Amino acid sequence: MTKSYDFDVLVIGAGPGGYHAAIRAAQLGLKVACAERESVGGVCLNVGCIPTKALLHAGEQVAAARHAADFGLTFSGQTLDIAKLNGWKDGIVKKLTGGVGALFKANKVTHLQGQASFVDDHTVQVGDKTYTAANFIIATGSEPAKLPGLDVDQQVIVDSTGALVMPDPVPARMLCVGGGVIGFEFAHVYTNMGAQVKVIEFLPTIIPGADADAVKAFQKSMEKQGIKIATQTKANRAEKKADGVHVELEDVKTGAKTTEVFDRVLVAVGRRPRTDGLNAQAAGVTVTDRGFIPADKKQRTNVSHIYSIGDVASNPMLAHKAMKEGLVAAEVIAGKPAEQDAVAIPGVVYTSPELAWVGLTEQEARDKGYEVKTGNFPFSASGRAMTLQQTDGFVKMVVEKDTDLLLGVHIVGPHASDMLGEAGLALEMAATATDIALTIHAHPTLGESVLEAAEAVHKQAIHIMNR
Amino acid sequence: GRTIIPAAPSVRRLARELHVDIQTVHGTGIAGRISEEDVRRTLAGA
């Protein structure tokens, strides 16, 4: 690598993808800088995964306090201090973003504060300085998509960033526009905090990309907990009035319009890649009409020394995908044989129960030409789930019929996200359902349900009748 | 058609290191699983 550049690698963006790329590149002996115009840690740490999970945990504790009456624990005079809740959440964010900064220092990654803008294919401007680099990694992320007619003011009409600040008092009536992961996580938070929440989704089903049976069980549980769900429904416009936000809703099948009043409206209709200010054209980097900067399996853009990772590169827009792609880009630059070759990228909705999946859905597997068999194990038959008061949901396993090769695992249930690690490893290692069934799982644990689902594939589960 | 390559991540990386296209490797294990040996055998042209 030529020594005439300021850096071997300059990473643009310090979100999950960017900081993974910067740290791995530094570990491999490269001279690295990472430019960030906002806060280190990006969306995930600052206004995404982490603060949402903090609120979800708090909401679950509120709900758990209610359910504790089942075994005789009752509270009196309990209060929820909203200011303290927001402060606690912000403290976690601060600790983690500070941690990323410390990791930069420890790995000798130069942190450049400011918007990085390409001058040419080896030069960027950050603030009033220019820096040259042999390679660039674009990790500029994404931002909430807007919806015409619903102008986000971050007070009463909010996007996911505004929704992270719990108002005091908790809104009585809340509308979540968009029945995807973000919409349902906030619906769950606000429901547990005492709001009456309605979720509307334009498409016929919620949580696109998830297995149909899993979505059905998930929806049933969400409705049981009081969340109203309307599919094939859209929000045309919202008007702020003294008594709340008047939202015109339309049934997209019949065209029937109704107006409902809410105290808070969340717009969560997807995210779009963010390339504003980057001036990618100065480097000759292709940006698609939808704003993506596409990359190949080695995360290279059309300009071979410029890489693109995470949300700005492609869907799905998930932190762990960005992290992996950051590592791949850094390793490719360092001359390693890396490639984004993951068999599966897990997806999780962190509600209670969680909805989590990895690999192919039953339908996807059939569409790809696999002959499949499936096995289900319900948490209602799990001793551990009973002791946790969380028996909604199941583990569903999708397997290739002739070879018994695992194709996908879909879980609705408590701690589904943590059970996904085993399923992901099994998929990557090309495990068969038999391999999983022959693995001793600790008893009593929720993870045993994965073993039992594998047994159910062979109609030999022990704790349920096999049909 | 089938899209999942039945090989562990480390085996897939070995194939890249040796410039062997994993798609061309015949897996001799259960469910057509590809081992390190299968990759090396393909490299040797055996």
Side-chain angles (χ1 to χ4, degrees):
Chain A
M1 207 164 281
T2 172
K3 296 288 170 201
S4 61
Y5 298 109
D6 296 332
F7 298 102
D8 296 322
V9 188
L10 196 153
V11 183
I12 302 171
Y19 83 74
H20 272 69
I23 291 172
R24 177 56 52 86
Q27 287 170 341
L28 295 171
L30 300 174
K31 191 180 176 198
V32 185
C34 186
E36 172 59 54
R37 68 181 184 187
E38 290 166 16
S39 305
V40 172
V43 169
C44 174
L45 262 60
N46 288 284
V47 288
C49 333
I50 296 296
T52 321
K53 265 80 264 180
L55 287 182
L56 280 157
H57 170 72
E60 272 162 34
Q61 298 316 300
V62 173
R66 270 183 238 125
H67 296 147
D70 292 353
F71 54 83
L73 176 62
T74 54
F75 299 86
S76 64
Q78 68 271 34
T79 56
L80 179 63
D81 182 336
I82 301 289
K84 190 157 185 180
L85 168 69
N86 285 321
W88 168 75
K89 171 204 67 187
D90 294 344
I92 295 168
V93 169
K94 203 172 163 198
K95 188 168 183 185
L96 286 171
T97 55
V100 173
L103 289 169
F104 274 2
K105 274 205 186 76
N107 285 284
K108 298 189 171 59
V109 172
T110 304
H111 174 211
L112 307 172
Q113 181 64 48
Q115 165 76 51
S117 191
F118 278 106
V119 176
D120 61 46
D121 71 337
H122 279 292
T123 314
V124 291
Q125 184 166 351
V126 182
D128 53 6
K129 293 208 174 93
T130 57
Y131 301 92
T132 59
N135 301 277
F136 292 91
I137 300 174
I138 299 169
T140 49
S142 63
E143 61 195 359
K146 291 178 171 60
L147 194 60
L150 277 80
D151 295 326
V152 168
D153 62 11
Q154 301 297 31
Q155 297 297 322
V156 285
I157 303 179
V158 297
D159 61 19
S160 57
T161 302
L164 286 169
V165 182
M166 181 59 66
D168 193 2
V170 173
R173 303 159 297 181
M174 167 126 176
L175 174 70
C176 294
V177 182
V181 176
I182 294 171
F184 271 98
E185 289 188 354
F186 280 113
H188 200 254
V189 167
Y190 280 78
T191 297
N192 280 339
M193 297 297 181
Q196 173 59 248
V197 181
K198 179 170 187 164
V199 178
I200 61 165
E201 167 58 47
F202 183 81
L203 298 172
T205 56
I206 58 169
I207 319 290
D211 184 84
D213 289 340
V215 167
K216 216 164 137 186
F218 173 78
Q219 179 161 350
K220 197 173 150 195
S221 184
M222 290 299 115
E223 285 173 335
K224 195 172 88 182
Q225 293 174 62
I227 297 174
K228 291 202 173 77
I229 300 170
T231 55
Q232 293 187 284
T233 302
K234 64 174 180 171
N236 289 331
R237 54 195 151 88
E239 201 184 334
K240 283 184 267 181
K241 292 186 181 177
D243 65 334
V245 191
H246 291 233
V247 184
E248 186 187 274
L249 303 177
E250 181 180 336
D251 181 324
V252 297
K253 275 186 304 181
T254 64
K257 290 172 186 159
T258 51
T259 296
E260 292 184 33
V261 186
F262 301 94
D263 302 297
R264 188 166 245 216
V265 176
L266 166 70
V267 180
V269 291
R271 298 181 64 84
R272 59 173 192 198
R274 194 156 69 156
T275 54
D276 61 294
L278 183 64
N279 199 25
Q281 61 269 32
V285 172
T286 300
V287 183
T288 67
D289 292 346
R290 293 179 60 204
F292 285 105
I293 297 179
D296 64 12
K297 282 188 161 191
K298 296 196 176 290
Q299 304 304 138
R300 289 177 303 216
T301 66
N302 61 307
V303 180
S304 65
H305 65 277
I306 301 180
Y307 297 72
S308 172
I309 61 171
D311 291 4
V312 75
S314 62
N315 283 313
M317 293 186 181
L318 295 169
H320 42 271
K321 166 182 160 285
M323 292 170 169
K324 169 74 176 179
E325 291 177 353
L327 300 180
V328 168
E331 289 173 12
V332 169
I333 291 168
K336 303 277 180 200
E339 209 167 83
Q340 169 56 301
D341 68 340
V343 168
I345 300 168
V348 178
V349 191
Y350 290 86
T351 44
S352 181
E354 293 181 341
L355 167 57
W357 69 96
V358 62
L360 303 177
T361 66
E362 184 177 350
Q363 191 58 48
E364 282 170 346
R366 292 189 194 283
D367 290 347
K368 284 180 188 294
Y370 285 97
E371 265 200 77
V372 303
K373 48 185 182 176
T374 64
N376 276 36
F377 186 78
F379 286 106
S380 58
S382 159
R384 186 67 182 124
M386 285 179 219
T387 66
L388 292 169
Q389 302 174 285
Q390 296 178 65
T391 52
D392 280 0
F394 57 77
V395 177
K396 173 177 174 177
M397 198 167 280
V398 181
V399 168
E400 188 179 28
K401 199 175 170 195
D402 292 341
T403 63
D404 199 40
L405 187 71
L406 183 65
L407 299 176
V409 177
H410 308 273
I411 309 175
V412 177
H415 300 279
S417 57
D418 291 316
M419 282 183 264
L420 220 50
E422 175 192 11
L425 178 63
L427 274 168
E428 296 292 345
M429 295 298 291
T432 60
T434 303
D435 292 322
I436 294 169
L438 291 173
T439 301
I440 296 179
H441 289 61
H443 177 78
T445 60
L446 295 166
E448 277 175 291
S449 305
V450 177
L451 178 159
E452 280 279 67
E455 294 279 29
V457 169
H458 308 131
K459 306 205 181 301
Q460 288 189 348
I462 300 297
H463 296 91
I464 51 169
M465 291 299 293
N466 294 278
R467 281 186 277 251
Chain B
R2 294 180 56 177
T3 50
I4 293 177
I5 305 283
S10 54
V11 173
R12 281 177 262 153
R13 185 168 68 182
L14 176 75
R16 288 196 295 274
E17 245 162 16
L18 300 176
H19 303 286
V20 171
D21 179 0
I22 194 86
Q23 305 261 8
T24 67
V25 179
H26 174 70
T28 57
I30 290 167
R33 255 184 239 160
I34 301 166
S35 66
E36 270 195 33
E37 206 170 80
D38 293 331
V39 172
R40 293 186 194 283
R41 194 182 304 116
T42 305
L43 180 70

